[in-house]
Amino acid sequence: MLGKKVVNNVYWHISLTSAQTDEVQEAIAKAEQLADVQADIDYNVIKYDIKGQGFSLLYYQDFFNTPFPILEKSYRIYLEKQRVEKRSYEASLNPPILHRKELLLSEHHPRISEYRELTATAEQLGLFDNPIAIGFKQAWQTLITEKGFQLIGHQFVPIGNLESIDEQAFEPPQSKTIARHLTALTRNNLSAPMQCLARHGFLDGNLSVFDYGCGKGDDIRNLSANAIPVSGWDPHYAPEQPKQAADIVNLGFVINVIEDYRERLDALLGAYELTQQILVVSAMLFNQNALKGQAFNDGVITQRNTFQKYFTQTELKEFISEGLETDAIPVAPGIFFIFKDQDAEQRFLLNRQRSHHNILRLSQRRSTPAQPKLSRNEKKYQAYQHLLDPLWQQTLELGRLPEKNEIAELIELTQGFGSVNKALRFMLDQVDDTLLEQARQSRIDDLLTYFALQTFSKRKPYKHLEISLQKDIKAFFGDYKNATETAQSVLFQIGHAELISSACQKATEQGLGYLDENEALHLHTSLVEQLPALLRIYIGCATVLYGDIEQTDLIKIHSQSGKLSLMRYDDFQNQPLPRLLERVKINLREQTFDLYQYGEEFEPTYLYLKARYINEEFPHYAEQLNLDEQLQALGLFDLSGYGPKPEDFRQTLTDNRWEIDGFELVRSRSIPELDNPCGHYLTYRQLIECGETQQSSGLPNCPKQPESYTALYDLAINVLDPVIDYFGMIRLTYGFCSHDLGKLIKKRVAPKLDQHAAHELNTRKNPICPRLGAAVDFIVEDENMREVADWITKNTPFDRLYFYGENRPIHVSYGPEQKREYVDLIVTDTGRQVPKKRRTPH
């Protein structure tokens, strides 16, 4: 098959399709019909899985004129299932790119030498040293810059000392990430309610905090260490401290330890009375431990003789809302915010629906406004760039032009341009109108989500609207009535399964999650704000019941059943196989949810194929995708559904001499037991203790290098097992040979060539046999060994095979060189063995 081979896939440009086999051409024709696409219009590259797992039709922008073309869209085709998975990368900040494109073309292509020269230069610069990390635009551009070069046409040009890097070069996202909490704050040392406050930006030092029931004062110490004004009171640990009013009052896990209902309510009312802006209330939720203990009142007495009242989320919300006669807002399981300031509440609810990441995306797509057409304007823009860039950023955040009282640098802009309106017009002349339109639509989606959730939560209408919200309504909807009616019409659509299913399909085409065969959409929570308003509202309804989704990792939208699942994993971002810690299943129709926690009683399951649920803009995506593809290529696991149990997964990897190191799948570095299976039929001991010299000497003969055991395993799986499957059990006459055993064998051995030493080292720490791999000699009783040898050469990926006679053992190896050398050792009249190569079938 012509093209560029990568693992189990072959890539080629459509110009080579006619040179492929008739079977392949027929499959591509069927794929075109199924996906309704045309070559050169919808795709120009084919990615073909040689193992028959499906193939992809890819479209790279300006394939011939771009040195490293960017992938614009792809169609993953499964002919047997009659399924097409479409993906667009047009809006991606970090799309895949194509290297070595000359390998996808005919040797006779007119520009082949130009492309080869480009690749050769990239190799000389060391750009291909780590191929896993360079498959996406951001890492590739960063690497070129780090090497001190820039791309101009199909040439790498050094960046001189006085040259500036191209303004369009990649700028790491971290530099423009919108801070949502005080970075100096050590959130991991705070209680869950305090972490919620920090996550939403309330612990920035501008608001005072009072901890009502502070216990031993851990939160107080941590907040004080971060220069946040804080005090507290506790009836047991700090009874002498005064109860005092504060902007924020925390009633953290207090009401659940009070056995008397009246006292419980008094604590709630007392904390609320001290609150000036926000009251935070938290309590224990019903879980699998809730039934442990002796029943008492509406809770249990624990083994430590303490009282615990386990609430359901709905029960806790009702207790707070009815007790305080105001609405409690869930921010996490068992944690609620109660606002005394309605403007602050509106700002909080609006901010939860604001698409911060979308604004960041628009900013990065053009980090500075477009170059003006006239040089005079260019000079003016450069003179006032320090004012115009923040103004443009604010415009993108608002999705509309800011009004005078919203502009911080009003006086400076007026002085520079004569009026604010002239400054705004000048700014708009320098930028891409489509970016503002995208920001406008994103903000409309934010507001539709906000108003729809106001309706879903049955929250009482505010007597007055926060001032910035009034301006948004006027700009985007005309009036409040139109805004709420539009939002309600979208809200009512979440009850239509076909609309949710269609929205899920469109989301996955934009790289926002994975759509399974049951039409459920799985995606990481960081992708939610990029979803269309309908799905954001669907998910947002869960926040009314559950709280913020930001502390979870994965979301599963059950498009047909009106349900939503939220999953939290152990270090999701940095683990290649995150362990499930908590799962919440929310029934939107019944407005209930079930909480499942994993750990002691229930073993946390692994999340397999994690790259499906994130996309190319997520940290470690390239490494994760590479690992996922390697695991699938092994063919050892059924990774559909939930995949294997963790214990079975680990054991299977170990048995097959693999392990996971970070995001890499590597060969095992452990030493197995000698009686462990080596392949399907043999053990390591049989391959190590099988020679006459070893048996007569009693020498342990054990390999010292883990790689030697791996080489023996690979030999067994790839050569010996297939032989045994076909001919029956073999008799080993010579197997692994250690350095010490080799000293005892005097005749007809060539340790530097025969591969019996596997990966063992000599006294100079160099491989005894540079060919590496492993070898054995064996015979099959009652079989013509010529037939056995011929069968091996036709049906296995052997390295070297030496044939000594029809009734004598053969020597066969498996190794990295894959030489496929078939040699007859012919005995001459003088008794000498003369090698003669035979033709090997391919």
Side-chain angles (χ1 to χ4, degrees):
M1 186 175 287
L2 299 176
K4 169 185 172 183
K5 185 175 181 182
V6 181
V7 191
N8 293 326
N9 298 296
V10 179
Y11 295 74
W12 69 84
H13 186 262
I14 54 174
S15 58
L16 286 184
T17 298
S18 59
Q20 308 297 346
T21 64
D22 292 343
E23 181 183 359
V24 170
Q25 292 186 53
E26 183 180 349
I28 293 172
K30 290 179 179 179
E32 289 182 341
Q33 185 175 6
L34 179 63
D36 191 23
V37 296
Q38 295 181 48
D40 207 30
I41 296 176
D42 300 297
Y43 76 97
N44 50 19
V45 168
I46 294 92
K47 175 186 177 184
Y48 198 90
D49 189 331
I50 58 179
K51 289 192 173 182
Q53 301 296 316
F55 56 95
S56 299
L57 306 179
L58 313 174
Y59 185 77
Y60 286 92
Q61 295 176 3
D62 201 8
F63 179 91
F64 292 108
N65 297 319
T66 302
F68 300 99
I70 293 174
L71 183 61
E72 185 174 292
K73 55 186 174 182
S74 69
Y75 302 86
R76 181 67 178 169
I77 311 292
Y78 300 92
L79 289 178
E80 289 187 5
K81 299 178 181 178
Q82 289 290 288
R83 180 176 177 180
V84 178
E85 295 176 358
K86 182 182 177 182
R87 169 69 207 275
S88 170
Y89 292 90
E90 291 186 54
S92 175
L93 296 177
N94 190 30
I97 58 174
L98 180 65
H99 302 105
R100 304 180 187 271
K101 65 182 178 183
E102 70 276 5
L103 299 180
L104 280 65
L105 298 167
S106 165
E107 292 279 331
H108 307 294
H109 191 276
R111 299 182 67 179
I112 197 77
S113 59
E114 177 186 0
Y115 301 154
R116 284 174 175 168
E117 184 178 347
L118 177 71
T119 295
T121 304
E123 289 175 337
Q124 292 171 4
L125 295 176
L127 295 174
F128 293 156
D129 291 350
N130 183 8
I132 295 174
I134 61 172
F136 295 87
K137 179 182 176 182
Q138 292 177 354
W140 179 241
Q141 291 185 340
T142 300
L143 180 61
I144 293 172
T145 302
E146 288 175 352
K147 296 292 184 180
F149 284 79
Q150 57 183 323
L151 263 174
I152 299 179
H154 278 72
Q155 289 186 315
F156 288 99
V157 179
I159 300 172
N161 292 334
L162 299 179
E163 292 177 326
S164 62
I165 299 172
D166 186 351
E167 291 179 357
Q168 299 302 318
F170 167 64
E171 191 171 343
Q174 293 87 338
S175 66
K176 288 185 177 292
T177 300
I178 301 171
R180 298 189 65 186
H181 61 276
L182 188 63
T183 55
L185 191 63
T186 310
R187 283 171 49 188
N188 291 336
N189 294 328
L190 293 173
S191 65
M194 290 297 183
Q195 289 191 41
C196 285
L197 287 167
R199 188 166 61 248
H200 289 289
F202 291 117
L203 297 185
D204 59 0
N206 293 321
L207 301 176
S208 59
V209 179
F210 182 75
D211 200 353
Y212 193 106
C214 61
K216 296 180 181 180
D218 290 341
D219 280 337
I220 292 177
R221 282 189 293 275
N222 284 314
L223 294 178
S224 296
N226 286 279
I228 294 172
V230 60
S231 58
W233 169 87
D234 189 273
H236 181 75
Y237 293 101
E240 74 286 353
Q241 296 298 319
K243 297 179 182 179
Q244 56 190 43
D247 297 315
I248 300 170
V249 174
N250 177 43
L251 188 65
F253 301 103
V254 171
I255 59 176
N256 52 283
V257 300
I258 301 176
E259 67 276 12
D260 182 78
Y261 179 86
R262 185 65 239 179
E263 290 184 27
R264 198 181 298 160
L265 183 59
D266 287 343
L268 177 67
L269 292 169
Y272 190 60
E273 186 178 352
L274 297 174
T275 302
Q276 294 176 338
Q277 290 196 37
I278 310 169
L279 171 65
V280 189
V281 179
S282 55
M284 296 294 291
L285 289 186
F286 189 87
N287 57 62
Q288 58 261 41
N289 297 317
L291 301 178
K292 297 178 181 179
Q294 182 181 350
F296 183 79
N297 290 347
D298 58 353
V300 296
I301 300 295
T302 69
Q303 292 180 345
R304 297 169 55 202
N305 199 35
T306 61
F307 175 82
Q308 280 290 353
K309 158 66 177 172
Y310 293 97
F311 291 84
T312 66
Q313 185 85 341
T314 302
E315 181 186 14
L316 180 57
K317 177 179 173 65
E318 290 176 352
F319 172 74
I320 299 169
S321 298
E322 292 175 4
L324 300 180
E325 297 182 351
T326 189
D327 197 35
I329 300 172
V331 292
I335 304 176
F336 289 79
F337 284 178
I338 302 94
F339 287 85
K340 275 194 170 179
D341 183 336
Q342 284 201 343
D343 281 355
E345 181 178 272
Q346 288 182 70
R347 286 193 297 271
F348 171 75
L349 293 172
L350 271 168
N351 198 52
R352 291 175 89 180
Q353 307 308 328
R354 184 180 288 274
S355 305
H356 297 284
H357 187 65
N358 284 347
I359 302 306
L360 175 61
R361 294 167 63 80
L362 293 174
S363 300
Q364 288 186 352
R365 286 176 65 183
R366 185 174 295 278
S367 57
T368 60
Q371 290 296 318
K373 298 176 181 179
L374 302 176
S375 59
R376 182 179 61 184
N377 285 349
E378 180 179 358
K379 293 178 181 178
K380 188 172 185 179
Y381 168 76
Q382 292 175 349
Y384 293 99
Q385 185 173 359
H386 65 291
L387 299 176
L388 293 171
D389 282 357
L391 184 64
W392 174 236
Q393 179 67 27
Q394 182 184 17
T395 302
L396 290 178
E397 290 174 0
L398 293 173
R400 57 176 172 81
L401 293 177
E403 296 187 7
K404 289 182 180 180
N405 56 5
E406 295 176 302
I407 299 174
E409 307 297 337
L410 180 64
I411 296 176
E412 291 86 343
L413 286 167
T414 302
Q415 291 174 342
F417 292 88
S419 71
V420 171
N421 289 336
K422 289 182 179 179
L424 291 170
R425 285 197 298 271
F426 180 85
M427 177 192 73
L428 291 176
D429 286 340
Q430 320 307 312
V431 298
D432 185 347
D433 292 342
T434 60
L435 298 183
L436 181 55
E437 178 55 32
Q438 291 175 37
R440 178 179 178 278
Q441 188 56 54
S442 178
R443 186 59 180 146
I444 290 174
D445 285 352
D446 293 347
L447 294 168
L448 287 175
T449 305
Y450 167 74
F451 286 120
L453 296 184
Q454 292 291 102
T455 302
F456 183 81
S457 64
K458 300 177 182 178
R459 189 180 305 279
K460 295 179 181 179
Y462 294 108
K463 294 180 180 179
H464 72 277
L465 297 175
E466 195 265 339
I467 188 65
S468 65
L469 181 57
Q470 293 181 35
K471 295 175 180 177
D472 287 340
I473 291 172
K474 181 179 179 182
F476 301 122
F477 301 101
D479 56 44
Y480 180 77
K481 180 181 178 182
N482 188 41
T484 54
E485 288 178 351
T486 305
Q488 286 174 13
S489 68
V490 180
L491 174 63
F492 295 149
Q493 293 177 19
I494 70 171
H496 297 282
E498 68 278 7
L499 295 177
I500 297 298
S501 180
S502 176
C504 288
Q505 176 66 46
K506 291 178 181 177
T508 196
E509 290 177 2
Q510 297 300 317
L512 305 178
Y514 168 71
L515 192 67
D516 66 24
E517 294 183 356
N518 297 317
E519 297 186 36
L521 179 67
H522 309 246
L523 73 160
H524 190 260
T525 51
S526 63
L527 302 175
V528 168
E529 61 185 32
Q530 298 177 53
L531 293 173
L534 178 62
L535 293 183
R536 288 178 60 192
I537 291 170
Y538 187 99
I539 295 170
C541 290
T543 66
V544 174
L545 304 171
Y546 171 82
D548 286 340
I549 61 171
E550 291 181 0
Q551 62 181 338
T552 63
D553 296 301
L554 283 191
I555 295 176
K556 179 180 180 181
I557 299 175
H558 306 259
S559 64
Q560 302 299 312
S561 62
K563 295 179 181 177
L564 187 84
S565 294
L566 304 173
M567 281 72 70
R568 182 169 64 87
Y569 291 86
D570 179 23
D571 195 11
F572 182 93
Q573 177 173 307
N574 297 308
Q575 293 298 323
L577 295 170
R579 296 182 309 130
L580 180 62
L581 300 180
E582 183 178 279
R583 179 168 63 91
V584 177
K585 195 165 189 176
I586 302 171
N587 189 320
L588 297 179
R589 294 169 183 169
E590 297 180 6
Q591 297 194 35
T592 60
F593 74 78
D594 297 313
L595 174 65
Y596 305 91
Q597 295 177 324
Y598 299 81
E600 296 180 2
E601 295 187 26
F602 304 98
E603 183 183 14
T605 58
Y606 285 147
L607 177 68
Y608 298 103
L609 305 179
K610 190 179 85 173
R612 285 178 169 178
Y613 313 113
I614 54 181
N615 67 18
E616 62 280 356
E617 297 176 14
F618 196 85
H620 309 303
Y621 176 79
E623 295 89 344
Q624 182 70 56
L625 180 62
N626 182 66
L627 174 64
D628 291 353
E629 291 177 346
Q630 286 183 313
L631 286 175
Q632 290 177 297
L634 285 181
L636 299 175
F637 310 102
D638 178 6
L639 298 178
S640 61
Y642 295 106
K645 294 181 179 179
E647 182 179 352
D648 295 340
F649 176 80
R650 293 190 294 268
Q651 189 60 52
T652 300
L653 277 183
T654 300
D655 291 344
N656 288 272
R657 303 294 296 160
W658 290 99
E659 61 184 59
I660 293 176
D661 181 10
F663 286 87
E664 291 187 70
L665 182 67
V666 299
R667 299 315 299 256
S668 178
R669 290 165 289 194
S670 64
I671 303 291
E673 297 291 331
L674 289 184
D675 292 319
N676 282 0
C678 182
H680 298 304
Y681 302 104
L682 304 169
T683 65
Y684 290 99
R685 186 183 299 279
Q686 289 174 298
L687 292 167
I688 291 169
E689 299 179 357
C690 60
E692 292 180 3
T693 305
Q694 189 280 326
Q695 292 177 356
S696 62
S697 67
L699 201 70
N701 193 43
C702 291
K704 296 179 180 179
Q705 306 303 320
E707 294 83 0
S708 292
Y709 290 93
T710 300
L712 289 171
Y713 176 84
D714 288 343
L715 171 63
I717 285 291
N718 289 285
V719 180
L720 303 184
D721 283 355
V723 169
I724 295 171
D725 282 334
Y726 192 82
F727 291 98
M729 185 51 68
I730 63 176
R731 179 168 63 85
L732 294 162
T733 60
Y734 184 26
F736 170 76
C737 180
S738 65
H739 183 60
D740 292 335
L741 182 63
K743 295 177 181 178
L744 302 179
I745 304 175
K746 303 301 183 182
K747 297 181 179 180
R748 293 185 179 178
V749 293
K752 294 182 179 181
L753 299 174
D754 62 21
Q755 297 172 279
H756 282 289
H759 289 241
E760 295 303 289
L761 306 178
N762 58 26
T763 54
R764 296 184 178 180
K765 303 300 180 183
N766 295 318
I768 294 172
C769 180
R771 293 175 174 178
L772 302 177
V776 295
D777 294 4
F778 74 88
I779 191 169
V780 182
E781 304 292 353
D782 302 322
E783 292 285 350
N784 184 320
M785 294 308 293
R786 172 64 76 188
E787 293 180 6
V788 175
D790 288 347
W791 187 91
I792 289 173
T793 62
K794 294 176 183 177
N795 296 283
T796 72
F798 75 102
D799 189 11
R800 292 169 170 89
L801 188 151
Y802 299 130
F803 177 78
Y804 295 91
E806 294 179 354
N807 298 310
R808 299 184 63 189
I810 60 173
H811 168 97
V812 65
S813 69
Y814 179 86
E817 294 183 2
Q818 298 288 287
K819 295 286 286 187
R820 297 183 59 81
E821 284 187 357
Y822 186 5
V823 180
D824 283 354
L825 273 299
I826 300 173
V827 180
T828 67
D829 295 338
T830 61
R832 292 184 59 228
Q833 287 184 337
V834 178
K836 180 181 179 181
K837 286 188 178 182
R838 294 175 65 91
R839 176 173 294 182
T840 304
H842 290 278

